[in-house]
Amino acid sequence: SYELTQPPSVSVSSGQTASITCSGDELGDKYACWYQKKPGQSPVLVIYQDSKRPSGIPERFSGSNSGNTATLTISGTQAMDEADYFCQAWDSSTAVFGTGTKVTVL
Amino acid sequence: EVQLVESGGGLAKPGGSLRLSCAASGFTFSDYSMNWVRQAPGKGLEWVSSITRSSTYIYYADSVEGRFTVSRDNAKNSLYLQMNSLRAEDTAVYYCARSPGGLYYFDYWGQGTLVTVSS
């Protein structure tokens, strides 16, 4: 079965840039998206179709996808960005979520 | 405003059944594919099932295939998940989520309903 692998944790100083990777076989040939998940809240879509931002998502969130790796970048990270982040893609009529990355803002 | 409200969660015994519902409002329900996604305590997100706009195509995760059945009633703007032969590992918060323009991403999510499977 298809797998998407993320680093378990990323730490970033407030105001700096955080990059979260998502690795999967030929992921660049699929559309990747990203969700933010805070404890006790529902997931929020922050990037879809590799690099598009939904309405209401701040410009500091950006995405890219090439080769075997999709990347979510948070520029000028704020305390409110502290959360778990999950990538997601479709493979053979199956939605696959990444393992998740906990972002800590120092 | 798009709203998705899940209900039907609760405590079930191993081998038991539950039926989850998701009431949709604020958009034309029949124009969207719908999905169920779950998150077990302390774990990541796990896709459970998807159903296309007219129920033409239905997909399940291997972990629930043969035990869970997804359905929808476009006249009632509702999505359902019939869960049979429940196992302890099915314990999770279950979210319904909307997919615009095909099954690529989930743009709106409900608040979730907790399912606990325990004797």
Side-chain angles (χ1 to χ4, degrees):
Chain A
S1 61
Y2 194 75
E3 295 181 350
L4 294 173
T5 302
Q6 300 177 230
S9 63
V10 167
S11 296
V12 58
S13 299
S14 180
Q16 298 304 301
T17 297
S19 293
I20 307 165
T21 58
C22 173
S23 298
D25 188 42
E26 297 182 336
L27 179 58
D29 293 339
K30 312 176 191 300
Y31 276 134
C33 58
W34 293 88
Y35 303 90
Q36 178 191 70
K37 177 70 170 65
K38 296 180 179 180
Q41 298 184 20
S42 302
V44 173
L45 178 70
V46 295
I47 292 291
Y48 68 100
Q49 291 182 354
D50 296 338
S51 59
K52 297 180 181 179
R53 270 181 298 104
S55 173
I57 299 301
E59 291 185 9
R60 63 180 181 273
F61 288 90
S62 62
S64 63
N65 185 17
S66 179
N68 295 322
T69 304
T71 303
L72 173 69
T73 301
I74 311 173
S75 304
T77 306
Q78 300 183 9
M80 68 175 66
D81 301 329
E82 187 162 286
D84 293 327
Y85 291 84
F86 296 90
C87 59
Q88 181 250 312
W90 281 85
D91 179 76
S92 302
S93 301
T94 298
V96 180
F97 284 95
T99 50
T101 298
K102 180 177 181 59
V103 170
T104 301
V105 181
L106 304 173
Chain B
E1 178 192 6
V2 173
Q3 284 200 321
L4 299 169
V5 180
E6 300 93 338
S7 60
L11 178 64
K13 294 187 186 304
S17 299
L18 279 176
R19 188 192 195 212
L20 305 184
S21 298
C22 173
S25 61
F27 64 101
T28 303
F29 184 70
S30 57
D31 284 348
Y32 293 82
S33 295
M34 296 296 296
N35 314 269
W36 290 99
V37 177
R38 67 186 181 184
Q39 185 174 35
K43 302 294 186 181
L45 298 175
E46 180 188 15
W47 170 76
V48 173
S49 180
S50 297
I51 183 168
T52 54
R53 291 175 293 180
S54 300
S55 306
T56 304
Y57 299 101
I58 290 175
Y59 307 104
Y60 297 100
D62 289 345
S63 57
V64 307
E65 180 88 56
R67 300 187 300 121
F68 289 11
T69 302
V70 65
S71 62
R72 64 189 295 164
D73 185 335
N74 288 344
K76 294 183 177 180
N77 293 335
S78 293
L79 174 72
Y80 306 101
L81 186 67
Q82 177 66 44
M83 304 187 296
N84 298 331
S85 303
L86 284 163
R87 305 167 179 168
E89 54 264 36
D90 295 320
T91 294
V93 175
Y94 285 73
Y95 297 97
C96 71
R98 188 183 83 165
S99 284
L103 294 169
Y104 291 117
Y105 54 93
F106 313 127
D107 64 346
Y108 282 92
W109 299 62
Q111 86 288 350
T113 187
L114 176 62
V115 171
T116 302
V117 183
S118 174
S119 55

